[in-house]
Amino acid sequence: MNPEKEKWILLIVLTLIWGSSFILIKKGLEHFDPYQVGALRVLIAGVLLSPLAIIHRKKFPQKRIKWLVLAAFSGNFIPMFLFPIAETQISSSVAGIINSMMPIFVIIVGGLFWKSATTGRQILGVSISFSGACLLMLGSQGETGIKFFPILLLLIATFLYAISMTTVKAKLNDISSQELSGFVFFYVLFLPSLLALISTGFFGEFKGTSSEFLGLGYVSLLSIFGTGLAMLLNYRLLKISSPLFASTVTLLMPIVAVLWGVLDGERLTAIQFTGGLIIIGGLIFLRSKPIKQ
């Protein structure tokens, strides 16, 4: 497939998957505490991707282990706990808008640490889409107030995502997406996530009730699609595009989150609709001229 076409297809698919993650986190939190949701999410992904890690074990990049560990913990471990913790206090709309700041962090981190070049057109396109994401939040219903601490947690998580994406592009880009996903979730994160889950008392508290299995189902969907499959696709997207382009998925995710809200009985407001159009407009602006790789 043509790389230009492939990266836009991957962007859309990731938008649908990750945009649905907020509601799955919310549903998971109805049955487990945020630490259990985070640990289960990473652990299940590790089990799912273990065959890839075992098959490609001889290709494990031992000389670049520090970069692998940095990318794994900053992109696939710490944020998995920060998001559920934050969503116990704020709505998914605010979580979505903070997550939409990732392209801005990618520009900052890439410029400071990896000397990545960013054009004025890219910055303008990201700014247009980000303003649309802000409108989506303003038009969301049911938010009673913005709390500092959970927003700080989300800012940290988003910044860590940016560190992970730029690290993968700069230091691990020659590793295939299948190999990289397997190494990250099985060899690096499986044991830490298992220890984290044990420390929450999950195995002693789990009684096998229908409610617990329902919650486990939500978290499993979140892990299989929103973590395991999504990271496979994301690593592939990073390989054929730039970290900035890959991070623009976070600008589209709030649209999917709002649509889930509509399906759940919420009303689509004119402000939300306008915000969605502006987000798409910003990305079209980026698309109108080839992005510098």
Side-chain angles (χ1 to χ4, degrees):
M1 183 185 295
N2 180 281
E4 182 69 18
K5 182 183 296 184
E6 183 184 359
K7 71 182 185 181
W8 282 94
I9 292 175
L10 288 172
L11 186 74
I12 293 171
V13 173
L14 282 169
T15 296
L16 294 174
I17 294 175
W18 273 334
S20 302
S21 294
F22 296 109
I23 193 169
L24 289 174
I25 292 174
K26 178 182 177 181
K27 294 296 184 181
L29 288 171
E30 294 175 358
H31 305 273
F32 305 115
D33 69 44
Y35 302 98
Q36 292 172 336
V37 170
L40 281 168
R41 181 176 182 179
V42 181
L43 184 64
I44 294 172
V47 173
L48 177 68
L49 296 171
S50 60
L52 293 177
I54 295 171
I55 291 172
H56 299 291
R57 63 187 181 279
K58 293 182 179 180
K59 298 180 182 179
F60 187 82
Q62 297 183 12
K63 294 182 179 180
R64 288 180 285 175
I65 184 65
K66 64 179 181 180
W67 302 117
L68 190 65
V69 170
L70 175 62
F73 276 90
S74 62
N76 301 291
F77 190 77
I78 299 174
M80 303 304 180
F81 294 89
L82 296 182
F83 267 88
I85 293 171
E87 284 196 43
T88 61
Q89 300 184 51
I90 63 174
S91 73
S92 60
S93 64
V94 173
I97 186 63
I98 298 302
N99 197 47
S100 296
M101 291 184 66
M102 188 162 69
I104 298 173
F105 284 134
V106 165
I107 292 173
I108 295 172
V109 173
L112 288 177
F113 297 101
W114 306 115
K115 308 303 179 184
S116 301
T118 304
T119 67
R121 190 180 190 88
Q122 289 175 325
I123 295 175
L124 181 56
V126 167
S127 299
I128 291 171
S129 292
F130 183 70
S131 67
C134 291
L135 278 181
L136 272 181
M137 183 188 72
L138 292 175
S140 297
Q141 303 298 306
E143 182 61 35
T144 57
I146 296 179
K147 301 177 181 178
F148 175 77
F149 181 68
I151 287 182
L152 176 61
L153 294 182
L154 293 177
L155 284 172
I156 293 173
T158 305
F159 182 73
L160 289 173
Y161 278 143
I163 290 176
S164 180
M165 294 187 74
T166 54
T167 299
V168 169
K169 186 65 178 182
K171 295 296 183 179
L172 304 168
N173 198 49
D174 60 313
I175 303 174
S176 74
S177 57
Q178 294 91 343
E179 294 168 6
L180 189 55
S181 299
F183 297 156
V184 163
F185 284 99
F186 185 67
Y187 290 128
V188 179
L189 298 180
F190 183 85
L191 183 58
S193 61
L194 177 60
L195 293 176
L197 188 61
I198 292 174
S199 70
T200 66
F202 174 83
F203 294 104
E205 297 173 359
F206 191 84
K207 305 300 181 183
T209 65
S210 58
S211 175
E212 288 174 328
F213 275 115
L214 179 61
L216 193 59
Y218 286 127
V219 178
S220 295
L221 286 174
L222 176 66
S223 180
I224 294 170
F225 293 99
T227 305
L229 176 60
M231 290 313 302
L232 269 171
L233 299 177
N234 185 55
Y235 287 145
R236 173 59 185 169
L237 180 58
L238 276 171
K239 182 172 288 293
I240 63 175
S241 70
S242 67
L244 179 58
F245 180 87
S247 68
T248 56
V249 67
T250 61
L251 296 169
L252 285 168
M253 284 163 52
I255 297 176
V256 178
V258 168
L259 291 176
W260 271 114
V262 172
L263 292 175
D264 200 37
E266 297 179 7
R267 184 173 61 90
L268 179 65
T269 67
I271 293 179
Q272 289 173 324
F273 183 76
T274 303
L277 290 179
I278 292 175
I279 290 173
I280 295 173
L283 294 180
I284 291 175
F285 182 82
L286 282 174
R287 175 67 180 85
S288 64
K289 187 176 182 179
I291 295 178
K292 184 179 180 181
Q293 301 297 333

